[in-house]
Amino acid sequence: AARHVESNCLVWPVAPPAKLDGYTVSPRVSNLDSSDDGSDEGDDAEQSEHLERQRGFALVLPAVFASGIMPGLGGPGAYAAWMVVLCVGVPAVILYSYTHRSVDHGLLRNFTSVGLSSSIVPLMHAILALKFLFLVPLVVTLRVLAKNAALDAAFRAELKSRTGANTRHFVRGCMWVLGVLSLTICFSETKYRSFSFLFHVAIWIRQLICFTSHMCFLTVWRVCATKVGRLREKVAEGSDRPEFWKDMTNEYRHLVEFIDDVWRKTGFSTSLCILFVFNLCFAGYVGAIALGDTSLWSKLSPAFWAAKQILVVTVGLYLWANLHSMCNSHRHAKKSLRYLAAEHFGRVPQDQVRDHEAFLHCLRELQCGVEAASTPVVS
């Protein structure tokens, strides 16, 4: 049997021959198993090479974001095209829609028939023009963020960590939810025939920019949150190693620097704050239209727009504040860095007491969170 296997089967010896009832028998592993192992190694190498070729958001976002057509995430040509569309094309479309379509198709008549002011139509077009104007710094900061070296390194480290798969699932789940919501909003906003076809195209462009910025916002927030989460796990476990609390202090300082680098220094948080303020103003505007309308059915569409603007601001500010709470909250249920570090009182070795107190002092004085250009840390 041994000679038959030796001459007719493709097998690989994995251990020295053993004696069994006077015969020499070699333990074997089939060629199929060995081939599978080589295939897995090849797949891992191919995936690693693929990660090396990608940069920025292309590492974690789906392939459509790596194609170069999304606002702020493409090459110089795509970036210049988006700037021309936002700065020249969209204002021209809004001006054309106001001068040729609003009166011809009875948009003004629709509002004045329910007792609203005749100035509502020019005000509506002016607000939409401002909305697109405020999207310009958002696209600019998206490009700066996509080229950020610290964020690129954080993406690579996150994908290689044990939470990398969960981050991918989180990003894909957000993409599907935001995609469905964006399509629903677009169809609801373009159902009015009072606006021209080009005006509807401008609405789709605005929604695409908002979708891209929301995905980038959630992706960056997720990476920041997982970095805070890993530091919380280390602090919760503790260690008797002499340099442990010094290392935790340095790691926390680097974490604060990273969050400030990707949010404030890139201008991303500032451009989002501008849009948040504008969203609240726009919510008040469409809310006034809803209150001024006499028909209950006609109130639903402006009320939906107002609720959408308020929801975007609320969720954005909550996620920002959550990063600060994960580090400095006093609530027992939150299990913040500060709370977990304070739980080690009385258990820290004598030679590490000063380092432990220095870590707590650093948590109090060096606030971790998102800042804008002229605002304190959102908490």
Side-chain angles (χ1 to χ4, degrees), residues 296-346:
L296 178 61
W297 179 255
S298 300
K299 290 176 180 287
L300 293 179
S301 182
F304 170 76
W305 288 350
K308 183 196 74 170
Q309 307 297 329
I310 295 174
L311 181 63
V312 168
V313 176
T314 303
V315 173
L317 292 178
Y318 170 78
L319 293 178
W320 277 351
N322 192 52
L323 290 176
H324 177 269
S325 297
M326 291 172 70
C327 295
N328 290 280
S329 175
H330 293 280
R331 295 180 61 240
H332 296 282
K334 196 67 179 178
K335 298 290 184 181
S336 68
L337 269 175
R338 188 173 178 179
Y339 179 89
L340 293 172
E343 282 191 327
H344 288 279
F345 276 127

Side-chain angles (χ1 to χ4, degrees), residues 10-32:
L10 295 175
V11 294
W12 307 84
V14 296
K19 290 286 186 177
L20 182 62
D21 295 334
Y23 295 94
T24 301
V25 182
S26 298
R28 316 263 180 184
V29 175
S30 70
N31 191 37
L32 178 62

Side-chain angles (χ1 to χ4, degrees), residues 15-320:
K19 290 286 186 177
L20 182 62
D21 295 334
Y23 295 94
T24 301
V25 182
S26 298
R28 316 263 180 184
V29 175
S30 70
N31 191 37
L32 178 62
D33 294 338
S34 177
S35 174
D36 287 345
D37 293 341
S39 175
D40 290 342
E41 292 177 1
D43 292 342
D44 292 341
E46 184 179 352
Q47 184 178 4
S48 177
E49 183 180 354
H50 175 72
L51 289 178
E52 289 298 325
R53 290 196 304 266
Q54 300 294 337
R55 289 290 183 272
F57 287 103
L59 290 165
V60 289
L61 292 177
V64 64
F65 290 89
S67 61
I69 62 173
M70 303 304 283
L73 305 184
Y79 176 68
W82 277 106
M83 288 293 102
V84 171
V85 168
L86 285 176
C87 298
V88 179
V90 172
V93 168
I94 294 176
L95 180 62
Y96 172 81
S97 177
Y98 171 65
T99 57
H100 292 82
R101 304 283 297 189
S102 61
V103 177
D104 294 344
H105 286 73
L107 180 61
L108 178 60
R109 198 162 48 248
N110 292 339
F111 288 122
T112 55
S113 63
V114 295
L116 294 175
S117 171
S118 59
S119 61
I120 193 172
V121 173
L123 184 59
M124 175 187 295
H125 286 79
I127 287 179
L128 289 174
L130 283 175
K131 178 78 170 181
F132 280 101
L133 180 63
F134 290 144
L135 290 178
V136 173
L138 180 62
V139 175
V140 173
T141 55
L142 280 176
R143 180 168 177 79
V144 175
L145 190 65
K147 302 294 183 180
N148 188 274
L151 185 62
D152 183 82
F155 284 155
R156 296 180 187 280
E158 175 63 23
L159 293 178
K160 293 177 182 178
S161 69
R162 58 184 176 80
T163 59
N166 292 333
T167 298
R168 285 191 180 276
H169 291 315
F170 172 83
V171 171
R172 292 188 180 276
C174 291
M175 184 192 70
W176 283 107
V177 173
L178 288 176
V180 172
L181 289 176
S182 298
L183 289 175
T184 303
I185 292 169
C186 274
F187 283 118
S188 66
E189 291 182 348
T190 57
K191 67 179 181 179
Y192 296 103
R193 297 181 179 179
S194 301
F195 298 112
S196 65
F197 171 75
L198 290 177
F199 191 85
H200 291 167
V201 172
I203 291 178
W204 280 89
I205 290 174
R206 175 177 61 83
Q207 202 59 45
L208 179 61
I209 296 174
C210 291
F211 172 74
T212 305
S213 64
H214 293 162
M215 284 299 302
C216 293
F217 176 95
L218 292 171
T219 304
V220 175
W221 177 87
R222 171 71 181 189
V223 171
C224 294
T226 53
K227 289 175 77 70
V228 176
R230 283 194 288 270
L231 184 57
R232 288 166 68 187
E233 291 177 1
K234 294 178 183 178
V235 171
E237 292 175 0
S239 175
D240 293 334
R241 185 167 52 86
E243 301 293 322
F244 175 75
W245 290 108
K246 283 186 178 180
D247 292 342
M248 294 300 99
T249 302
N250 289 328
E251 191 167 339
Y252 176 74
R253 287 175 43 250
H254 292 317
L255 173 64
V256 173
E257 183 180 356
F258 169 75
I259 292 178
D260 188 58
D261 189 21
V262 298
W263 290 103
R264 183 186 62 84
K265 291 182 180 179
T266 59
F268 190 43
S269 61
T270 303
S271 61
L272 288 173
C273 281
I274 294 173
L275 282 178
F276 286 168
V277 172
F278 182 82
N279 284 348
L280 292 178
C281 296
F282 187 73
Y285 166 73
V286 294
I289 294 178
L291 292 175
D293 210 329
T294 56
S295 171
L296 178 61
W297 179 255
S298 300
K299 290 176 180 287
L300 293 179
S301 182
F304 170 76
W305 288 350
K308 183 196 74 170
Q309 307 297 329
I310 295 174
L311 181 63
V312 168
V313 176
T314 303
V315 173
L317 292 178
Y318 170 78
L319 293 178
W320 277 351

